[in-house]
Amino acid sequence: MKHHPDGRNVSITVSNFPPAEAEIDAKNLESAIYNLLLNACQAATGSTHLPEVSVLLTEVDERIYLTISDNGPGIPDSVRRTLFDPFVTAGKPNGIGLGLTLARRIAEEHGGTVWLEESNREGTEFTLSLTKNRSLLEELISGRE
């Protein structure tokens, strides 16, 4: 993220991750997390303070939660209902509006989802959830029957 122009001057704090296991498509999940992090970095650069993003991984029962928070100015109320719709950019000049749509689709392929946890003038928080120990191969095979 530090190599992307929007992430260069953003302080990113990652919590100590507890050991968690899940069967995943690493490339797709990496893409989903990258989109969430990039959005957070872009938002944080709009902060009146030092731009900060934090990443927290938690595990509850059969679910894994990845929460990404920023200290940006928040998401306007007028955009919140359509955030996950394709091509919604929330006024970002360089975005095409597919990052959250793709992140949610990828999370759903892993038995989870992505949602807006909270957003206000002090920042925004998104959570991505996954189902642990879920066999993607078994689902693909059963989906073909």
Side-chain angles (χ1 to χ4, degrees), residues 29-49:
L29 191 56
E30 180 182 334
S31 175
I33 294 169
Y34 180 85
N35 281 318
L36 292 169
L37 277 172
L38 181 58
N39 284 351
C41 286
Q42 290 168 337
T45 59
S47 174
T48 56
H49 303 288

Side-chain angles (χ1 to χ4, degrees), residues 11-32:
S11 171
I12 300 175
T13 305
V14 179
S15 68
N16 289 333
F17 287 168
E21 291 185 23
E23 294 183 29
I24 61 168
D25 178 330
K27 187 175 180 180
N28 277 345
L29 191 56
E30 180 182 334
S31 175

Side-chain angles (χ1 to χ4, degrees), residues 25-130:
D25 178 330
K27 187 175 180 180
N28 277 345
L29 191 56
E30 180 182 334
S31 175
I33 294 169
Y34 180 85
N35 281 318
L36 292 169
L37 277 172
L38 181 58
N39 284 351
C41 286
Q42 290 168 337
T45 59
S47 174
T48 56
H49 303 288
L50 174 70
E52 296 178 329
V53 170
S54 66
V55 181
L56 173 67
L57 181 77
T58 55
E59 183 178 3
V60 179
D61 299 324
E62 290 301 308
R63 305 208 52 84
I64 298 170
Y65 300 94
L66 182 75
T67 302
I68 298 175
S69 306
D70 66 68
N71 67 339
I75 298 170
D77 289 335
S78 61
V79 179
R80 292 184 190 181
R81 283 191 337 272
T82 59
L83 268 180
F84 294 95
D85 293 350
F87 308 111
V88 172
T89 62
K92 291 194 304 185
N94 298 324
I96 60 170
L98 291 176
L100 288 175
T101 304
L102 291 173
R104 179 175 271 178
R105 181 187 56 81
I106 292 166
E108 288 171 350
E109 289 172 356
H110 288 81
T113 192
V114 175
W115 65 91
L116 174 63
E117 194 80 53
E118 182 178 353
S119 186
N120 56 47
R121 282 179 272 154
E122 285 82 43
T124 298
E125 185 173 284
F126 280 92
T127 298
L128 180 147
S129 70
L130 305 171

